[in-house]
Amino acid sequence: MATKIPVTVITGFLGSGKTSIIRHLLQNNQGRRIAVLVNEFGELGIDGELLKSCQICPEDEIEANQETQNNNNIFELTNGCLCCTVQEEFYPTMRELIKRRDSIDYIIIETSGLALPKPLVKAFRWQEIRNAATVDAVITVVDCAAVAAGTFASDLDAIAAQRQEDDSLEHETPLQELFEDQLACADLVILNKTDLVDSETQAQVLELVKNELPRVVKIVSSDYGKLDPSILLGFAAAVEDNLDSRPSHHDTEEDHDHDDEINSTHVILDRTFDPEKLQSRLEKLAQEQEIYRIKGFVAVANKPMRLVMQGVGNRFDKFYDRPWKLEEAKQTSLVFIGRNLQSSEIESQLVSL
């Protein structure tokens, strides 16, 4: 019987650093053949693009589009919270990956910020999946600075926006309980963004996390998600077989109403921007409108590389991730998530810059 494909589930709130951790893992995969499932949010697949830009996959795989996705190592699941759309979203994708099991060493699943790990892990008990794949580990990423502040996530409004826009989401839970659920299912906890707190605060967060864990779990610290792959892979925990030891507040949930005022929009412009001026304009827009999250790619004049720009609350990060391809349009594409967004005003503000 063929060896089961080990699957690592990476969970954590919006902005905790899950994508950065996976990106570093792909860039330092040590020859491992890794497939990634991304539970994306918003109309443009920014997180999926960030992972594809690691330049690990062959060029013909990176360029595969949605219609030929079975030839791609990055799968973007965009139809809602993964724990609530297991049958519709996750199952068909896993079936495709299982067909390619001879060419895959590991599967990484990045859940959305509101996903509960346990319902997803339960899907690995389904016969067709159980025979071919096993959950190697659940890894929970903790935003150290946000937990120290008592908010658990760096931008509560962005979390609310993500929760309300996702019509498939079947659970509305306090962040404290969701935080506890993510920890309760974990085989490894990563205290991320430790560079934003002092050593005393980090020690306090570590103690808080330990107190929330229902059993002994390894805890590691990270700056910018830079961890050796050997820390993240190879647990052989077979999580699907021992879920009873991973208690959850949310094994059963009721439907809830959604706020139709929460929406996302995107802007694509065939032009370049000065990064500092663009960030200043985006900060101004975030003050004028209820914009919770901004993320995307920016074309910069006389720069051969694509600039990644991300904003959560009042905090913006930017870095160059890869060179523009010869056949690729040097466009600026940004996704905005917020309440009652005025798309035309956002675009006109950027066009006039």
Side-chain angles (χ1 to χ4, degrees), residues 196-207:
L196 300 179
V197 299
D198 57 30
S199 57
E200 182 179 352
T201 301
Q202 184 177 336
Q204 292 172 352
V205 173
L206 176 62
E207 190 62 27

Side-chain angles (χ1 to χ4, degrees), residues 40-47 76 266-268 295 333-335:
E40 181 63 277
F41 180 71
E43 296 181 55
L44 292 180
I46 301 298
D47 289 346
E76 298 175 59
H266 65 269
V267 176
I268 301 177
K295 56 182 178 178
S333 55
L334 296 168
V335 173

Side-chain angles (χ1 to χ4, degrees), residues 125-164:
R125 292 176 170 177
W126 298 350
Q127 197 63 35
E128 188 171 352
I129 296 178
R130 186 184 188 91
N131 290 337
T134 180
V135 181
D136 183 70
V138 174
I139 297 176
T140 298
V141 184
V142 173
D143 185 329
C144 199
V147 172
T151 59
F152 304 105
S154 56
D155 190 328
L156 298 182
D157 289 333
I159 290 288
Q162 184 177 16
R163 187 194 302 274
Q164 298 296 342

